[in-house]
Amino acid sequence: MGFALDEKSYEGEIITKVVEEVKQVLNRLSQTSLNPSECLGKSPHKHPKSQESSWGIEHRLKQLEEKLSLGFEETTRIIGVVGMPGIGKTTLARKLYEKLKNEFLNHVLIPDIHEISKEHGLDSLPTMLLEDLLNVKDPNIETLQDAHQPYKDQLLKTKVLLVFDNVTSRKQLDALLGNRDWIKQGSKIVIAKSDKSLLQSFVDYTYEVPRLTDRDALQHFIHYAFDNDQEGDHALNFSKLSKDFVRYTKGNPLALKILGAELLGQDETHWELTLAALAQQHKSPPGQSTTKMLHNVWRGSYDGLSQQQKDTLLDIACFRSLDETYITSLLDSDGLKNEVEDLVNKFMINIYAGKIEMHDSLYMLSKELGQEATATDGKGRHRLWHHHAITNVLEKNKGASNVRAIFLDLSDITRKMSFHSHAFAKMSYLRYLKIYSSQCPQECDRDIKLNFPEGLQLPLNEVRCLHWLKFPLKEVPQDFSPENLVDLKLPYSNIERVWEDNKEASKLKWVNLNHSRKLITLSGLGKAQNLQELNLEGCTALTTLHVDMENSSDASGQKPNGHFD
């Protein structure tokens, strides 16, 4: 676009022409429906592929068809399709619909039911269904419960194929299907959702979409990470890196697609830096995550959680891959054991070999969300991981009342630091305090890096987990209340006794004081009647257990397991 100007040109007319031309260009651009995210971080000639990958689809589609067709031809089947976010539930449901719809006179696919009901209300769901099934406009619906009754006779004449995607509540299913007496025998219904607990007693079978096999996951990733003419020889040069990305995503198709689109057209150095950023996410300071591209895999499911479920998920992220009994013991102080089961049903976590596991990309998101989390009660839910953020709070006390958890790796601290005695005094909602070293036991005997020359105040009563490597004082301060304490670890510390007097510690199950060479008595633990494990290895100054400790046992009557030097 250009205009020639000379001294005879009329400036107003030229400006008018320019404005009109710009309007036309902008109008054409607005009609192209460009996705802004597709224009970022790519070379000018590399765009994410519009053609979807089909790797792994056929096998899963065959499995789902088999479950849907079980029984006689005239058997009505309702199948639930469940799985973690990004696993391909929507894709699979749509593919199944496209494959089977021509076998039915009437068929309906309703996408993203959660968003439809959220925007238009539950009443809109049976309206959409009946409009599509009967080809009527504005069907007569008097009540939500009896929405199908005026058309029951007509509906019973024809078998139907119904596919409902992204169902998030039982109320949505009730609105769509009512009492189901209008469904003709031989109909097939598929319900895709992320919470398998909502389908109990409602469906004939629940199909859990499996992760992609290593082979399919690699091919799925290659489809998005390379141009069509590069998928052969060029992909071989990135073979190891490609497999590393596949391993990181654990066969999640959406995560692989997002990463592939991000890496398309980029050089090997960019690939290596992206992989390193994923692996070192826990070291990234707040607000500097380089992996936000994966957040969309989980963000919708996270936003749909209740406040208690969000708190539980973000707390679990603090103790990922640890024993289920241990984590639920920490959470049980709030009576939140059922929340763990809910998160399993929603595929946000899973329990494998007795340990609670979480997908790496969700773990990454949870740690980032945890740093700034808030709740409807106005209380902060901050979980701090980065040493700069932690030492800043300890030094300035700014935002201390919002801190829920501190996880400080002493190997990140390069010099000795001294703090005021009141550094923790305002952290009244602190639940998890862990000061550790990722280089221990190799360097456990190094000098103490955190010092409190004027003593230490710990007026805390919400703490469930207190871990402090090389605890610098002779005892835990008198103002600390262990009434909610479940796990106490003070290895390689200067303590001579745990705390003064016998304090109420009925929830305390695990105590580890190993290599606290100045420890001379356990008298303060006399009321820890449910203690299950006591580690005193290397406590060379301790010659005998306190009489109350010798008589203690847990609720099952078992003596605590001991580790002694």
Side-chain angles (χ1 to χ4, degrees), residues 520-523 536 539 541-547 549-550 564:
I520 57 176
T521 179
L522 295 173
S523 59
L536 300 173
C539 298
L542 183 67
T543 58
T544 182
L545 290 177
H546 189 269
V547 63
M549 291 295 300
E550 292 176 345
F564 307 96

Side-chain angles (χ1 to χ4, degrees), residues 224-243:
Y224 293 105
F226 298 98
D227 286 331
N228 292 334
D229 58 349
Q230 294 179 323
E231 289 185 14
D233 295 339
H234 192 67
L236 290 176
N237 299 329
F238 289 77
S239 176
K240 183 181 183 304
L241 284 169
S242 295
K243 291 177 181 177

Side-chain angles (χ1 to χ4, degrees), residues 6-225:
D6 56 36
E7 58 185 14
K8 296 181 180 180
S9 300
Y10 177 51
E11 188 176 66
E13 181 180 344
I14 293 296
I15 291 175
T16 300
K17 289 182 178 180
V18 170
V19 170
E20 288 300 316
E21 190 71 22
V22 169
K23 283 183 177 179
Q24 293 178 26
V25 171
L26 291 175
N27 185 53
R28 288 197 298 271
L29 285 174
S30 67
Q31 294 174 356
T32 62
S33 300
L34 283 176
N35 183 347
S37 64
E38 294 179 358
C39 303
L40 299 176
K42 300 286 183 295
S43 63
H45 305 294
K46 302 294 182 182
H47 301 285
K49 293 182 179 178
S50 58
Q51 182 181 356
E52 294 292 326
S53 163
S54 61
W55 286 97
I57 287 290
E58 289 303 319
H59 174 65
R60 295 189 284 181
L61 194 59
K62 182 180 179 181
Q63 289 179 328
L64 185 55
E65 276 189 87
E66 290 174 352
K67 300 302 179 184
L68 196 62
S69 61
L70 280 178
F72 298 103
E73 184 178 344
E74 297 303 313
T75 300
T76 298
R77 293 281 288 174
I78 302 179
I79 300 296
V81 179
V82 301
M84 72 168 64
I87 200 65
K89 300 181 295 295
T90 295
T91 300
L92 191 58
R94 287 175 179 270
K95 292 281 187 182
L96 182 72
Y97 176 77
E98 292 299 326
K99 185 172 184 179
L100 299 182
K101 67 179 182 180
N102 292 330
E103 298 178 16
F104 295 82
L105 291 176
N106 289 335
H107 47 81
V108 176
L109 165 66
I110 302 183
D112 208 344
I113 285 172
H114 172 74
E115 283 301 318
I116 292 173
S117 61
K118 181 180 177 182
E119 186 172 347
H120 303 289
L122 288 173
D123 292 352
S124 65
L125 298 178
T127 299
M128 291 181 63
L129 180 63
L130 292 171
E131 284 180 344
D132 287 344
L133 282 178
L134 303 175
N135 196 25
V136 297
K137 190 173 183 180
D138 297 325
N140 179 28
I141 298 177
E142 294 184 0
T143 65
L144 195 60
Q145 293 77 12
D146 299 320
H148 310 83
Q149 295 310 307
Y151 306 96
K152 180 178 177 180
D153 292 341
Q154 187 176 352
L155 290 167
L156 284 171
K157 293 178 181 179
T158 311
K159 291 182 291 186
V160 295
L161 171 66
L162 306 177
V163 176
F164 303 140
D165 181 41
N166 195 22
V167 176
T168 55
S169 76
R170 189 63 175 260
K171 289 182 178 179
Q172 294 164 358
L173 288 178
D174 291 338
L176 285 163
L177 298 177
N179 59 19
R180 291 180 271 177
D181 62 347
W182 56 271
I183 301 172
K184 184 176 181 178
Q185 285 296 310
S187 296
K188 309 297 180 184
I189 302 172
V190 177
I191 303 166
K193 60 192 300 139
S194 294
D195 187 347
K196 59 185 175 184
S197 67
L198 295 178
L199 295 176
Q200 292 173 359
S201 74
F202 195 92
V203 299
D204 299 306
Y205 182 82
T206 299
Y207 176 74
E208 184 173 332
V209 182
R211 297 173 179 177
L212 293 175
T213 64
D214 289 345
R215 174 182 174 275
D216 287 341
L218 182 60
Q219 294 301 324
H220 183 78
F221 173 74
I222 288 173
H223 174 86
Y224 293 105

